C-alpha cells in the first residue's frame, strides 16, 4: 500500500538527523517502474523472518490507531508488544545491515520529505530514488521523491554547496510507519535535551 505526503500530520515533525543516504535521479519515463518496485519490495523480501516482522508491525499499527480511541489500556498493551517486535526487528537489521559511521550524512528529515546538502544541483520537479538507513535501528527506507528545490547556499561547504529539498511521493506503508516513529522518537529526545531544529528546513509544496 502506498502513502503520500499529507495523509498524516505526524509526517511533518521535522528533525535534524544523521543517516546513511544514497540517491539517484530517475528519468520521468522510469518513474512508474521505480514506484512499482518500491510497492513490491516488502512482498519480495527473501528474509522470511523480516517479512513476518513487517507484517506483524503493519497489523499492530492499524490496531493501535483503531483501539486507542476506545480503550487506552488495551492500546497500551499492544504498544508494549509493538515495542518488543521493534526491538527484535532492529536487532536483525543491525546484524544484517550494520551502519557505517563514515557514510553518515546530516539531513533535515520528516515523514514527508528530506533536505540535505549536495555537490550537484537537481532540477525542481525531477524525481529521485532514495535509500536511507536510520540510526541506531539500522532500518532501511526505500522511497521515490520529487525535488521541491535545489538552491545554492553561500554558507554551505564548498564541496556540497546546494541544499536539495525533496518530498516523498511513493513509499511502502511499513517504511512510512518506521520513518514516522523514528522522527517522533528523535524529536522527543531533542525536546528533552532542549534542542531546537536548525535552519536547514524542508519546505513542503
Amino acid at each position: 500500500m502506498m502513502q503520500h505526503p499529507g495523509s498524516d500530520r505526524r509526517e511533518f515533525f521535522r528533525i535534524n538527523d544523521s543517516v546513511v543516504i544514497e540517491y539517484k535521479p530517475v528519468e520521468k519515463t522510469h518513474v512508474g517502474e521505480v514506484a512499482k518496485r518500491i510497492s513490491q519490495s516488502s512482498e519480495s523480501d527473501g528474509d522470511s523472518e523480516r517479512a513476518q516482522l513487517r507484517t506483524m508491525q503493519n497489523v499492530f499499527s492499524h490496531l493501535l490507531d483503531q483501539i486507542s480511541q476506545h480503550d487506552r489500556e488495551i492500546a497500551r498493551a499492544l504498544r508494549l508488544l509493538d515495542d518488543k517486535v521493534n526491538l527484535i526487528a532492529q536487532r536483525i537489521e543491525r546484524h544484517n545491515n550494520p551502519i557505517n559511521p563514515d557514510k553518515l550524512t546530516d539531513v533535515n528529515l520528516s515523514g514527508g520529505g528530506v533536505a540535505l546538502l549536495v555537490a550537484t544541483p537537481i532540477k525542481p520537479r525531477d524525481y529521485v530514488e532514495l535509500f536511507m538507513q536510520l540510526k541506531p535501528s539500522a532500518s532501511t527506507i526505500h522511497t521515490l521523491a520529487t525535488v521541491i528545490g535545489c538552491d545554492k547556499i553561500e554558507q554551505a561547504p564548498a564541496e556540497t554547496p546546494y541544499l536539495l529539498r525533496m518530498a516523498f511521493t511513493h513509499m511502502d506503508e511499513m517504511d512510512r510507519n518506521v520513518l514516522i516513529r523514528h522522527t517522533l522518537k528523535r524529536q522527543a529526545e531533542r525536546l528533552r535535551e532542549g534542542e531546537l531544529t536548525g535552519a536547514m528546513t524542508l519546505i513542503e509544496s
Side-chain angles (χ1 to χ4, degrees):
M1 179 178 181
M2 309 305 294
Q3 296 290 331
H4 300 275
S7 60
D8 193 323
R9 290 173 58 188
R10 296 174 300 169
E11 288 185 347
F12 305 111
F13 284 106
R14 299 188 182 98
I15 59 168
N16 287 331
D17 204 0
S18 294
V19 303
V20 177
I21 186 167
E22 296 180 3
Y23 67 91
K24 60 181 180 181
V26 176
E27 296 290 338
K28 292 184 179 179
T29 55
H30 294 158
V31 168
E33 175 186 336
V34 174
K36 183 178 180 180
R37 188 165 70 247
I38 291 173
S39 68
Q40 295 176 341
S41 61
S42 60
E43 299 173 4
S44 61
D45 194 335
D47 186 336
S48 60
E49 290 184 350
R50 187 177 179 213
Q52 290 175 20
L53 288 171
R54 290 171 68 91
T55 301
M56 290 172 63
Q57 184 60 62
N58 199 13
V59 172
F60 272 123
S61 297
H62 285 294
L63 285 173
L64 285 173
D65 288 342
Q66 296 174 14
I67 296 175
S68 61
Q69 301 177 17
H70 306 288
D71 194 316
R72 293 184 178 180
E73 289 302 313
I74 292 179
R76 182 172 179 270
L78 285 172
R79 198 169 287 113
L80 290 173
L81 289 173
D82 190 29
D83 290 341
K84 290 182 179 180
V85 173
N86 288 334
L87 286 174
I88 296 171
Q90 289 174 15
R91 179 171 296 182
I92 294 172
E93 290 282 359
R94 286 195 296 269
H95 176 76
N96 293 336
N97 302 293
I99 294 174
N100 184 346
D102 295 332
K103 292 186 177 182
L104 289 171
T105 299
D106 292 333
V107 300
N108 187 261
L109 181 65
S110 77
V114 64
L116 68 153
L117 294 171
V118 298
T120 306
I122 301 178
K123 294 179 181 179
R125 299 185 181 180
D126 277 3
Y127 290 90
V128 176
E129 183 177 10
L130 290 169
F131 292 90
M132 291 187 296
Q133 188 180 28
L134 309 176
K135 70 168 190 176
S137 67
S139 298
T140 300
I141 305 298
H142 183 198
T143 181
L144 185 66
T146 301
V147 175
I148 302 301
C150 192
D151 305 306
K152 192 168 185 178
I153 307 298
E154 292 184 2
Q155 64 271 31
E159 62 272 19
T160 53
Y162 298 96
L163 178 59
L164 174 63
R165 294 172 290 118
M166 296 173 284
F168 304 140
T169 55
H170 294 79
M171 185 182 295
D172 177 78
E173 184 179 7
M174 179 64 191
D175 282 355
R176 177 178 172 272
N177 289 336
V178 168
L179 181 57
I180 289 175
R181 285 197 306 273
H182 173 80
T183 57
L184 290 174
K185 182 179 179 180
R186 297 290 284 183
Q187 187 191 52
E189 292 172 355
R190 296 291 191 274
L191 291 174
R192 284 196 298 269
E193 296 167 359
E195 297 182 11
L196 297 176
T197 55
M200 190 170 70
T201 304
L202 176 71
I203 300 176
E204 306 290 350
S205 67

